Amino acid sequence: MDFVTLGGNVLGIIPLGDIVLYVTPFNLFLFAVLLGFTALIAVSQPETQIEATFNNFQNNEVKVGEKEFRQRRFLSVICGLASAGAMITGDLFNFTLFMALVGILNIGIVSAVKQTTVLNSAFNYGLIAMMCSLPLFGGAAIILASTGTLSLQLLSQMPTNPMVIFGAVLMLLGILGESGIAPFFASKAEMFRTPGSPFIVIIHLSSLFIIVRAVEILLLVLW
């Protein structure tokens, strides 16, 4: 399947050595939306979470401290930029690098939270992300070894073979684990309970957009 079928006409190609950026209406839309959300997160203030208590009528306010606020905002902005980069990269290996970076930043965004359940969830997600990085990068390496290129533009024009299919299946397994979706979603769900929105939103948003982009890439490689 070619670029025109999936994302519309190619508006431009920017070769940067091994990194090849290409722009279609589909990828440009994803890129612009992520940049817009990143800009909103950069200028937003964290909310104050209200927790109800049992056996009395008092509520507890959970606020984000100034130091923690700065850390989360910085990591959220970097996460948004990494996710936006994954939307327009035309190199399969760089897509896996952006994806691994997003997984690391997702853990960093909640690393300063003083809640045991959130930290346990982040730890479990980190373990799964590290284990799934092997099939993620291994699948890209197999595709490179069997085709001689990581350019999505060239891969979309090549016929598939069993090794490419095997590499794509490994990449899919790695993508599922790195994104924290089914069947690995349980390791990431508790992370959303931490205070600090809108910074927590970028964790969910980056995973959604990465999955959409991954589906496009797998269709380009396999179809």
Side-chain angles (χ1 to χ4, degrees):
M1 187 173 292
D2 55 15
F3 291 100
V4 176
T5 304
L6 285 175
N9 295 325
V10 177
L11 303 178
I13 297 176
I14 308 173
L16 300 174
D18 293 333
I19 302 176
V20 180
L21 306 178
Y22 69 90
V23 180
T24 66
F26 174 72
N27 299 104
L28 186 61
F29 172 76
L30 297 179
F31 179 76
V33 171
L34 274 173
L35 284 186
F37 271 97
T38 302
L40 290 176
I41 289 172
V43 299
S44 298
Q45 297 290 330
E47 98 289 6
T48 298
Q49 191 178 72
I50 304 298
E51 294 183 347
T53 57
F54 292 99
N55 301 324
N56 58 59
F57 296 100
Q58 296 180 353
N59 295 325
N60 296 326
E61 291 187 353
V62 182
K63 297 182 179 180
V64 178
E66 182 67 23
K67 182 178 180 180
E68 182 180 341
F69 160 66
R70 292 181 179 179
Q71 173 185 334
R72 285 194 182 185
R73 181 173 61 181
F74 173 74
L75 294 176
S76 298
V77 170
I78 300 300
C79 182
L81 294 178
S83 302
M87 297 302 105
I88 62 171
T89 182
D91 185 276
L92 189 62
F93 185 71
N94 286 288
F95 171 76
T96 61
L97 288 178
F98 279 126
M99 189 165 191
L101 178 59
V102 168
I104 295 172
L105 292 169
N106 285 345
I107 299 174
I109 291 173
V110 300
S111 62
V113 177
K114 297 178 179 62
Q115 294 183 10
T116 304
T117 55
V118 174
L119 294 178
N120 285 338
S121 179
F123 176 75
N124 293 330
Y125 166 63
L127 291 178
I128 292 176
M130 285 190 296
M131 290 186 289
C132 288
S133 63
L134 178 60
L136 178 66
F137 288 97
I142 291 174
I143 293 175
L144 172 62
S146 58
T147 62
T149 181
L150 288 171
S151 171
L152 293 176
Q153 188 175 16
L154 296 178
L155 288 173
S156 65
Q157 301 170 359
M158 293 182 177
T160 58
N161 57 64
M163 290 305 295
V164 172
I165 296 176
F166 178 63
V169 171
L170 286 180
M171 279 198 63
L172 177 60
L173 178 61
I175 289 168
L176 295 178
E178 289 281 354
S179 300
I181 62 173
F184 306 108
F185 64 93
S187 65
K188 200 173 183 179
E190 194 68 26
M191 292 168 62
F192 299 118
R193 297 182 182 274
T194 178
S197 181
F199 307 134
I200 304 304
V201 175
I202 196 62
I203 298 178
H204 185 58
L205 192 67
S206 61
S207 298
L208 291 177
F209 276 70
I210 286 288
I211 288 299
V212 173
R213 178 71 167 123
V215 171
E216 181 201 8
I217 289 176
L218 292 176
L219 288 176
L220 287 173
V221 173
L222 294 177
W223 201 281

